[in-house]
Amino acid sequence: MSRNTADHKYGTLKKYFGYDGFRPGQEELIDALLAGRDVLGIMPTGAGKSICYQLPALLLPGITVVISPLISLMKDQVRALNEAGVHAAYINSSLSENQIRRAMEYACAGRYKIIYVAPERLLTPLFLDFAHRASISMVTVDEAHCISQWGQDFRPSYLNIVDFVEQLQVRPVVGAFTATATTQVRDDILCVLNLQDPKVMVTGFDRENLYFEVRTGNKDQNLRDCLREHEGESGIIYCATRKNVGTVCTSLLMDDIPATRYHAGLSPEERQANQDAFIFDERPVMVATNAFGMGIDKSNVRFVIHYNMPQSMENYYQEAGRAGRDGERADCILLYSPQDVRIGQFLLEEKELREDMTYEEAQAVRERDAQRLKQMTFYATTHDCLRGYILNYFGEKAPRRCENCSNCLQEFVEEDVTDICIDIIRCIKELKRGYGAGTVAGILHGSRVSKLLDWGLDQLESYGCQAEVSEPRLKEIIQELIAQGYLTTTPDKYALLGLTSQAETIPPRMIMKFSKPKEKVPAKTKKKRKSQSSELDSASWQLFERLRALRLKIAGEQRVPPYIVFTDKTLTDMCIKKPATREEMLEVSGVGEAKYRKYGERFLEELWKK
Ligand code: ADP
């Protein structure tokens, strides 16, 4: 690449997006696209995929067509581009035919550099007419995994993309982007999209700015504590059921927490209104089922709390990953109780499978789901590094400790549990049929619950042989034995315990880690440790709050979400750099020329207000 193009690339990045450098993977993909080579970029949420095609779109001579499945995402992206001074538009079913016609005319006249379009629109006569008249330099496929029949989000309309590209007189360069892709899905994207000699870039799954935590115990109390630590910040609370969404949201409102709710049972109007209230930071706390979030691009989500455990690590990482898209520190907290496993099993049982599946296929799917739930439960109960667990799950290597998750920061005590393990195994052998972990723990502890007595389990030799160990601790040990492969559980609702061949040869000493009871940290000190950039001292913190208030005011005036005016990261950088002039303000990460023209002076004024 010539020096000139490189200068141009950095100049454009600064001018429009206000950034000084690229994040990992971005530059390689941009260079490939500019050199006319197809690309496939697999990068986690928040890694910065958009710039990988938006920047080349600005430098290539013709128009870029971006295919995106979600209306809300398109709107957000177009709004952000227009704010940054880039002419862009979208074509989807939220516009009237007349509006579409007008947008197409403008597009043909070269008014836009970037056009976002829903895949269903590609082969309509109006769009094809535009495509034949305009000069299209690049076609970008966002959420490219939707093209794969292997994935969970397959969209048949994505298959239109190939026909569309083939109909163009000159083949444009094609770029595909996604956050999630197994090897199978990746191969599908490459093959179905017919990418030519593509540059494939996979950046790691790790999101360094995310802190992971599992909290056990009283969920409502834990939730209150979390919210106190994140007072005034924006976040999402995911619940497993609509009913939970209702009760959690109501109780937060009663405590004057500015919450709103979202689930598939609400009317479309209410869903839209609540979503907007969240995006515009009028109600910065969203309580929702997993129906919420696809296509939500809000960059200043500072926490994602799971009130219930999700059904798989895939779901968990996708939902938790909605935190901290701006690269600033954000917390992902799972409130776990063993009851969540039951809820998960129940929801899986209720899950409707495709009607055309054979019995065997349905069985296989159910088994896979049960397996995924089990892996999720291991995450919730492991004492090892949580980030390490996530990365290993997705097939990546990870250091043993990340020092940024609750397990790495928590102190553990090691105990010799050899005798207890031997007794657990003996008890399972002694039982005539399979029982769940709760029952086995009850037998060993010598519980007097009527269920055990009715079944005559108090007659067993194992009954009460570990009376001094509490039932929760026994269950913890059983879970650990499952995780280490000594025990198995049936994939059904009752999760009956069984022994593996490994159980015959347990080592002479079994040492396990247990968390030390926590000292109560006062909420105030916790807040300092956890929220926002650690680079801010208390004076800057107050300034940050003032800048945030100004941002909210401007956002209200312009009817755009606050994070589209400036992200939290940009405001933090402003507090650190304290710019006094236009030139200095343009040095702040995220302040480009268009945004400076619109808002720069108001922020300078606020920064230096006496
Ligand atoms: P993705 O689509 O991969 O989820 P986005 O494209 O939405 O991620 O980018 C996430 C955030 O990172 C946005 O706020 C974006 O402006 C910011 N960002 C992207 N690239 C850079 C960069 N090179 N320097 C600083 N911030 C960046």
Side-chain angles (χ1 to χ4, degrees), residues 305-345:
I305 298 172
H306 279 78
Y307 187 82
N308 299 110
M309 182 180 76
Q311 291 164 38
S312 70
M313 287 300 295
E314 282 84 352
N315 291 355
Y316 183 63
Y317 202 50
Q318 189 178 46
E319 288 157 18
R322 296 190 175 123
R325 294 180 79 124
D326 53 9
E328 282 288 274
R329 182 184 168 114
D331 292 354
C332 306
I333 300 168
L334 168 62
L335 307 181
Y336 172 74
S337 86
Q339 182 64 19
D340 289 327
V341 184
R342 286 265 169 282
I343 299 179
Q345 284 163 340

Side-chain angles (χ1 to χ4, degrees), residues 205-365:
F205 262 86
D206 191 17
R207 304 263 316 274
E208 281 176 17
N209 61 320
L210 299 186
Y211 162 81
F212 292 96
E213 176 169 352
V214 177
R215 288 194 199 186
T216 50
N218 186 311
K219 281 182 194 271
D220 292 309
Q221 188 54 51
N222 280 333
L223 181 61
R224 284 306 133 86
D225 290 346
C226 291
L227 290 173
R228 209 169 305 122
E229 287 155 27
H230 287 280
E231 204 180 306
E233 295 177 350
S234 181
I236 307 174
I237 301 164
Y238 278 110
C239 301
T241 60
R242 296 176 189 180
K243 195 169 145 229
N244 275 356
V245 169
T247 33
V248 170
C249 186
T250 308
S251 79
L252 297 188
L253 288 173
M254 280 169 41
D255 280 355
D256 286 334
I257 293 169
T260 182
R261 59 182 187 157
Y262 190 105
H263 59 67
L266 302 175
S267 69
E269 295 75 30
E270 183 178 350
R271 264 183 289 167
Q272 188 61 47
N274 295 355
Q275 178 171 316
D276 284 349
F278 173 68
I279 287 183
F280 286 85
D281 273 346
E282 285 152 17
R283 305 223 144 251
V285 177
M286 171 58 89
V287 187
T289 59
N290 61 5
F292 178 75
M294 259 290 251
I296 300 296
D297 212 1
K298 193 173 197 284
S299 73
N300 66 336
V301 174
R302 295 268 67 86
F303 61 90
V304 170
I305 298 172
H306 279 78
Y307 187 82
N308 299 110
M309 182 180 76
Q311 291 164 38
S312 70
M313 287 300 295
E314 282 84 352
N315 291 355
Y316 183 63
Y317 202 50
Q318 189 178 46
E319 288 157 18
R322 296 190 175 123
R325 294 180 79 124
D326 53 9
E328 282 288 274
R329 182 184 168 114
D331 292 354
C332 306
I333 300 168
L334 168 62
L335 307 181
Y336 172 74
S337 86
Q339 182 64 19
D340 289 327
V341 184
R342 286 265 169 282
I343 299 179
Q345 284 163 340
F346 172 75
L347 291 172
L348 287 178
E349 271 166 32
E350 297 288 294
K351 183 170 137 179
E352 281 177 25
L353 298 181
R354 277 203 343 256
E355 277 174 9
D356 57 351
M357 271 190 194
T358 62
Y359 175 76
E360 283 75 23
E361 281 170 341
Q363 275 309 97
V365 168

Side-chain angles (χ1 to χ4, degrees), residues 19 21-23 26 44-51 297 299 325 567:
Y19 299 135
F22 291 103
R23 292 208 183 139
Q26 286 181 328
T45 313
K49 288 184 282 300
S50 321
I51 281 182
D297 212 1
S299 73
R325 294 180 79 124
T567 63

Side-chain angles (χ1 to χ4, degrees), residues 87-133:
H87 296 290
Y90 58 81
I91 309 288
N92 61 35
S93 59
S94 73
L95 303 182
S96 67
E97 278 302 311
N98 258 344
Q99 285 173 315
I100 292 180
R101 211 173 287 279
R102 194 157 353 113
M104 298 287 44
E105 269 166 33
Y106 288 161
C108 288
R111 201 51 97 97
Y112 307 122
K113 258 333 246 181
I114 307 183
I115 288 220
Y116 282 75
V117 61
E120 303 79 36
R121 296 270 145 191
L122 285 173
L123 299 180
T124 58
L126 204 59
F127 198 79
L128 281 176
D129 176 54
F130 146 76
H132 290 138
R133 286 202 283 152

